[in-house]
Amino acid sequence: MKRATRGAWPGGRRLPLRLGAALLAAALVAGCGKPPIDDPRAGQGDPERGMLVMHQHACNACHVIPGVTGPDIHVGPPLEGMARRQNIAGAIPNTIENMVRWLRDPQAIDPKTAMPDMGLTENDALDAAAYLATLH
Ligand code: HEC
């Protein structure tokens, strides 16, 4: 019996294979810290300033943050590898846009979270988010 799918792709099996390779490549790129969904603010912040913002606001009092050293008491989760995480605080997808929202007002995302509102301005949060997005 003739297979129904034969001829559906010009060139036989080659197109679906190439499609598979393209999807694999896309998945690999996504695995390297690319935002999982469209992120209008990706690339807007200044990561170097973000590092200073985190020093100024003593985020390292509660978090281990590569590049931002501090005391050895840690209430919050380490932020190492933040760029690879799927979610922020297990609550919302890890995008720059969402990170800004989280940093500006964590209780708006999760009313029970122990992470305090650090009083970051929109710009501070955007820069800090840009720095966190470099932590693979
Ligand atoms: C008083 C301690 C404290 C301070 C200060 C603090 N955080 Fe947090 N942070 C937490 C806790 C606790 C959590 C875990 C929240 C949860 O899962 O509900 C958290 C979660 C986070 C997360 C999500 C981590 C993840 O694994 O999803 C990020 C990002 C973060 N904080 C960044 C910052 C930044 C940037 C600052 C400084 C502006 C800061 N935090 C200051 C306690 C703190």
Side-chain angles (χ1 to χ4, degrees):
M1 197 169 64
K2 215 172 160 219
R3 284 182 33 211
T5 49
R6 259 288 154 101
W9 301 94
R13 288 176 54 87
R14 275 174 57 217
L15 190 57
L17 275 181
R18 226 181 288 152
L19 195 65
L23 286 175
L24 183 66
L28 286 176
V29 169
C32 290
K34 267 265 192 104
I37 57 173
D38 277 348
D39 194 345
R41 310 199 70 177
Q44 283 184 5
D46 174 350
E48 265 176 51
R49 190 176 169 276
M51 196 176 81
L52 294 177
V53 165
M54 290 197 278
H55 267 293
Q56 280 166 356
H57 291 267
C59 311
N60 52 330
C62 291
H63 296 283
V64 177
I65 312 173
V68 186
T69 52
D72 211 14
I73 310 156
H74 300 292
V75 177
L79 300 184
E80 192 181 24
M82 195 63 225
R84 288 196 313 261
R85 263 171 252 182
Q86 289 290 310
N87 297 300
I88 300 167
I92 49 173
N94 185 10
T95 63
I96 298 281
E97 178 81 17
N98 280 342
M99 184 59 85
V100 170
R101 284 174 55 210
W102 169 257
L103 295 176
R104 294 271 280 151
D105 190 358
Q107 274 70 36
I109 310 287
D110 175 2
K112 290 187 305 236
T113 186
M115 162 105 175
D117 180 342
M118 300 295 292
L120 263 59
T121 66
E122 185 77 10
N123 257 342
D124 288 346
L126 186 57
D127 292 342
Y131 182 72
L132 291 169
T134 69
L135 300 178
H136 289 278

